[in-house]
């Protein structure tokens, strides 16, 4: 946990932030609610990720959840009889904090690992898939149910569009189908599926393996995947040469 972390605010948001050497751990800690994320938690999560991004002693980030479910989506606030907000007010109040979380996943220059069990729907599915490495228990289930209420999940789509096959993403969004862990693996939402009983141990083993690598090497791979994904071969090769030279010269 960084020195700037407001412990009370983090706890109130249903998050638990700890540091274990070079590993920053973020735990969704509202198991009784299926780890549904309140808007205050969205804001706090973005702030914590930005704090981690600024801490160059962190080599890995692990995102996990207490209880049976990773995250069943965002928690809807109470409906109040106020005037209908303008588009700009909606953008600032509801959408900008969500975008800030997804952007922070990319601002963190080292791998983010998500460990997913149970249900991950809407914002929860997007969180799980936004990680650089996503390990899913075999009981994990994913969906984007927003269109049931005529709300296109464009922000969730934006953060997973470079990870999930477009046709598969369109199917999930239009049909609201809940997919299992193996299907999520096939379409690129997750990196590995393991027995539910082995999720924590698999995460620990992955962390131990990656901690043997240098910060520069871990960061270099993440930066390369972000920059080169849509480049033509010669541009991607040039980006690769530059990043590799920086990593090797840092040893």
């Amino acid at each position: 946990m960084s020195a700037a972390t407001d412990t009370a605010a983090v706890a109130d948001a249903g998050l638990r932030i700890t540091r274990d050497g070079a590993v920053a751990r973020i735990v969704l800690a509202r198991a009784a609610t299926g780890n549904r994320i309140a808007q205050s938690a969205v804001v706090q999560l973005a702030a914590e990720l930005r704090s981690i991004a600024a801490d160059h002693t962190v080599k890995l980030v692990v995102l996990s959840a207490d209880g049976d479910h990773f995250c069943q989506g965002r928690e809807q606030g109470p409906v109040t009889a106020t005037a209908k907000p303008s588009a700009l007010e909606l953008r600032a109040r509801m959408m900008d904090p969500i975008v800030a979380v997804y952007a922070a996943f990319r601002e963190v220059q080292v791998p983010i690992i998500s460990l997913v069990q149970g249900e991950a729907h809407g914002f929860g599915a997007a969180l799980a898939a936004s990680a650089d490495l996503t390990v899913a228990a075999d009981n994990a289930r994913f969906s984007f149910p927003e269109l049931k209420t005529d709300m296109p999940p464009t922000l969730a789509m934006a953060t997973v569009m470079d990870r999930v096959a477009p046709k598969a993403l369109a199917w999930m969004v239009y049909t609201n189908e809940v997919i299992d862990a193996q299907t999520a693996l096939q379409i690129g939402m997750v990196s590995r599926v393991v027995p539910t009983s082995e999720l924590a141990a698999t995460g620990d083993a992955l962390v131990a393996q990656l901690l043997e690598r240098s910060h520069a090497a871990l960061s270099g791979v993440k930066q390369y995947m972000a920059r080169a994904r849509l480049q033509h071969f010669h541009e991607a090769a040039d980006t690769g040469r530059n990043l590799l030279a920086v990593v090797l010269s840092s040893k």
Side-chain angles (χ1 to χ4, degrees):
M1 186 180 298
S2 69
T5 294
D6 184 333
T7 305
V10 170
D12 289 344
L15 302 174
R16 188 166 66 250
I17 316 293
T18 59
R19 276 291 298 271
D20 179 12
V23 181
R25 297 184 183 273
I26 302 175
V27 180
L28 309 182
R30 298 184 68 205
T33 70
N35 288 310
R36 289 186 178 273
I37 301 284
Q39 191 69 0
S40 61
V42 174
V43 173
Q44 193 65 44
L45 179 57
E48 291 302 322
L49 286 167
R50 286 194 298 268
S51 176
I52 291 169
D55 185 347
H56 299 297
T57 66
V58 174
K59 292 175 69 175
L60 291 172
V61 181
V62 178
L63 174 65
S64 62
D66 289 340
D68 295 331
H69 302 297
F70 178 74
C71 174
Q72 293 180 314
R74 289 196 307 119
E75 184 177 79
Q76 300 302 315
V79 177
T80 57
T82 58
K84 184 177 180 180
S86 68
L88 287 176
E89 289 170 335
L90 278 172
R91 174 172 171 157
R93 185 192 314 164
M94 184 176 76
M95 300 163 197
D96 285 357
I98 296 172
V99 171
V101 170
Y102 299 151
F105 267 79
R106 290 154 172 82
E107 291 171 19
V108 174
Q109 291 298 301
V110 294
I112 298 177
I113 301 167
S114 62
L115 305 177
V116 184
Q117 78 280 7
E119 297 178 6
H121 302 309
F123 184 72
L127 276 185
S130 292
D132 303 290
L133 295 168
T134 303
V135 182
D138 56 11
N139 74 345
R141 299 294 182 267
F142 304 84
S143 75
F144 295 109
E146 290 85 349
L147 212 58
K148 290 180 181 178
T149 57
D150 286 335
M151 185 174 71
T154 51
L155 303 184
M157 294 170 72
T159 194
V160 305
M161 197 171 289
D162 62 346
R163 290 156 165 75
V164 179
K167 291 285 189 179
L169 178 58
W171 182 270
M172 290 184 69
V173 169
Y174 280 122
T175 68
N176 314 127
E177 181 177 335
V178 179
I179 64 171
D180 61 21
Q182 284 296 336
T183 303
L185 177 65
Q186 291 169 10
I187 68 173
M189 282 195 80
V190 307
S191 312
R192 182 65 57 90
V193 177
V194 300
T196 301
S197 61
E198 297 177 13
L199 181 63
T202 301
D204 290 343
L206 180 58
V207 166
Q209 178 183 358
L210 293 181
L211 283 177
E212 295 179 359
R213 309 282 76 83
S214 70
H215 185 287
L218 295 172
S219 176
V221 170
K222 180 163 182 173
Q223 289 182 56
Y224 182 74
M225 293 191 70
R227 297 177 186 178
R229 192 188 309 269
L230 299 178
Q231 291 179 336
H232 295 298
F233 168 75
H234 291 294
E235 294 172 328
D238 191 49
T239 300
R241 278 196 297 260
N242 293 336
L243 275 170
L244 185 56
V246 170
V247 171
L248 293 177
S249 65
S250 70
K251 289 187 175 181

